[in-house]
Amino acid sequence: MTEGSSVDLIRLADRESSLEVRVLGRTMPGVLTLHDYLDAEIVVTSGFARGRLDVCLAPEDLDSWSQVLEELTAGRSAVWMDDGRNPEIRFEPSGQDGVAVFVVEDMAASRTSVRVPVRLADGWADEHHERLHRVRAAWPQEVVETSPGAYEWRR
């Protein structure tokens, strides 16, 4: 990745609404304990609301997103980033074919939430698996925790 470039981890959009999670880069490149953390932003747009939130993604957030994708692909509800560090994102089937509802809830900082329906494009799941792969390729995990609180560079 070049300096200043970003990769969309999530981009669910139709003509009226969208949810994007854009990865901007490493939080603290070269600092052993924070090197694998990624700065990102959540951007929500709809005919009624627009909002942007800064977040910090831990390596386990990417693993969790992979699991959430599996749930969504199977047509089940799922929750991502529900650990209290970041805004929580819930995904729910709407009951309408091809439409999902996402809820972004930021109770820790702004104490706001937004609930937005979006029509899913054909092939959205495969596209999001590819997006996850691009994020991991751009910012590979380079630090390993050898024991609780002890870190070293991956060889």
Side-chain angles (χ1 to χ4, degrees):
M1 294 295 314
T2 60
E3 187 67 30
S5 59
S6 64
V7 176
D8 285 344
L9 176 63
I10 300 173
R11 179 148 176 45
L12 299 172
D14 59 22
R15 289 183 185 190
E16 299 172 15
S17 304
S18 68
L19 166 67
E20 296 174 81
V21 176
R22 186 173 299 124
V23 179
L24 307 172
R26 293 195 187 275
T27 297
M28 298 188 83
V31 176
L32 191 61
T33 55
L34 296 173
H35 181 80
D36 286 343
Y37 285 72
L38 301 174
D39 286 333
E41 62 184 359
I42 299 170
V43 180
V44 176
T45 60
S46 76
F48 178 72
R50 295 185 193 284
R52 183 187 160 285
L53 295 165
D54 292 324
V55 296
C56 179
L57 301 177
E60 54 269 16
D61 292 327
L62 297 180
D63 296 337
S64 173
W65 175 239
S66 179
Q67 294 168 349
V68 166
L69 274 175
E70 295 306 318
E71 293 297 312
L72 297 174
T73 302
R76 294 186 291 267
S77 296
V79 180
W80 187 49
M81 296 192 303
D82 58 349
D83 59 6
R85 275 187 312 105
N86 286 314
E88 176 181 287
I89 303 176
R90 288 191 315 273
F91 301 89
E92 306 163 353
S94 70
Q96 297 176 359
D97 190 35
V99 176
V101 174
F102 63 83
V103 179
V104 178
E105 192 169 78
D106 183 32
M107 290 299 117
S110 68
R111 304 199 48 82
T112 60
S113 67
V114 63
R115 178 182 186 86
V116 179
V118 65
R119 180 164 299 284
L120 300 174
D122 291 339
W124 72 269
D126 291 338
E127 177 186 326
H128 280 80
H129 283 289
E130 178 57 32
R131 289 178 185 280
L132 177 58
H133 175 75
R134 282 195 302 262
V135 167
R136 286 182 164 158
W139 297 285
Q141 213 170 334
E142 297 177 334
V143 175
V144 63
E145 187 172 11
T146 56
S147 62
Y151 301 87
E152 65 182 42
W153 296 105
R154 213 178 274 278
R155 296 172 198 206

